[in-house]
Amino acid sequence: MKHLYISILSVMMFSVTSCEEYTDITPKGSLVVETADQFHEMVSLPGRGYPINNFQYLSDDQWMREANVIGRTPNIDILNFTFDESVDRVSLLSGSSFYNQAYNYINRWNTIISLVDNSKGDANTKQLAKAEAQIYRAYDHFLLVNTYAKGYDPNTAATDGGICIMDKFDLEAQPSKSTVAQVYDFIQKDIEQALPYLQEKPLDVYHPSLAFAYAFKAKVHLFKREIAQAQAAAEKSLSYNNQIFDMVAYSKQGRTNCSCSTSSQ
């Protein structure tokens, strides 16, 4: 029996050693993110977009063929297009691609924010990566709360149901719904913490600039009906970038059709 114990212990020790050897191996084709520069690069996401297929026909500039409406059993698109409020639209939805995608991005930003401090590299790059991820995390929470909750009303925001706040990288997190006021407080806290470390001219257009951050700050104040603060932030944004995007010229050049909303600098 003594020999059996020794044999089993030897096998266990060999197994543990073998596992450690294999866990130290990076799979072929994979990249281990371990430096501040790599975390900063993670912020840049050229393909970032937000599917709006669940509610795109609520917009006045979306159209459907008559044949797709008249005589058809009303689906969510027809109900939205005709502004039919007699049917419970929620019962017709099993999920939301916009909702899933926004929280998927938030998980990316939280990964950067939670892990970058322990990476190798320059402290300033770590702070920059964290700040850029924070402004995008705030932006995604802003999109979510204004899509799936009531608009901000200073009289009721403290009790109006909002969305789940995801403030850290935690695969086992079980978040609960916050109020609209709590979500806005979280958004504004992220913005204010990020602003001192953002750049006027970031690494590329997919990294948030100071112009973007102050424009976003202005929009948050506007949605909270804080007009003076919104004006101040908007003017600050324009001091960094006052160029006007010519949509007429853009349309004449041609563009691809896309059923998603994207963010820009």
Side-chain angles (χ1 to χ4, degrees), residues 162-220:
I163 59 168
C164 295
I165 295 174
M166 300 298 291
D167 61 350
K168 59 180 175 296
F169 174 68
D170 184 357
L171 297 177
E172 298 181 0
Q174 296 181 334
S176 57
K177 184 168 68 174
S178 300
T179 66
V180 170
Q182 288 171 330
V183 177
Y184 268 82
D185 287 344
F186 175 75
I187 290 169
Q188 292 187 291
K189 180 180 178 182
D190 258 358
I191 293 173
E192 297 304 325
Q193 288 182 349
L195 276 172
Y197 305 101
L198 296 176
Q199 297 175 324
E200 180 177 355
K201 297 184 182 299
L203 187 63
D204 61 47
V205 295
Y206 303 108
H207 289 266
S209 65
L210 275 170
F212 169 81
Y214 273 105
F216 174 41
K217 174 179 167 66
K219 193 165 189 175
V220 173

Side-chain angles (χ1 to χ4, degrees), residues 108-249:
R108 185 186 185 93
W109 314 139
N110 279 336
T111 300
I112 297 170
I113 295 166
S114 298
L115 303 180
V116 68
D117 282 340
N118 294 324
S119 65
K120 305 172 185 176
D122 179 64
N124 290 331
T125 303
K126 295 179 184 180
Q127 186 62 69
L128 176 61
K130 184 183 292 186
E132 290 186 350
Q134 274 188 288
I135 205 72
Y136 276 160
R137 181 173 70 178
Y139 182 74
D140 284 325
H141 278 88
F142 180 76
L143 294 180
L144 285 165
V145 75
N146 282 288
T147 302
Y148 300 102
K150 289 179 62 177
Y152 188 94
D153 182 337
N155 298 314
T156 62
T159 54
D160 288 336
I163 59 168
C164 295
I165 295 174
M166 300 298 291
D167 61 350
K168 59 180 175 296
F169 174 68
D170 184 357
L171 297 177
E172 298 181 0
Q174 296 181 334
S176 57
K177 184 168 68 174
S178 300
T179 66
V180 170
Q182 288 171 330
V183 177
Y184 268 82
D185 287 344
F186 175 75
I187 290 169
Q188 292 187 291
K189 180 180 178 182
D190 258 358
I191 293 173
E192 297 304 325
Q193 288 182 349
L195 276 172
Y197 305 101
L198 296 176
Q199 297 175 324
E200 180 177 355
K201 297 184 182 299
L203 187 63
D204 61 47
V205 295
Y206 303 108
H207 289 266
S209 65
L210 275 170
F212 169 81
Y214 273 105
F216 174 41
K217 174 179 167 66
K219 193 165 189 175
V220 173
H221 283 304
L222 183 64
F223 274 50
K224 290 185 68 178
R225 311 178 192 183
E226 298 169 347
I227 306 304
Q229 295 96 316
Q231 179 181 345
E235 291 175 350
K236 188 72 172 179
S237 175
L238 290 170
S239 72
Y240 290 112
N241 186 351
N242 62 358
Q243 295 181 349
I244 298 176
F245 194 86
D246 191 339
M247 294 298 294
V248 175

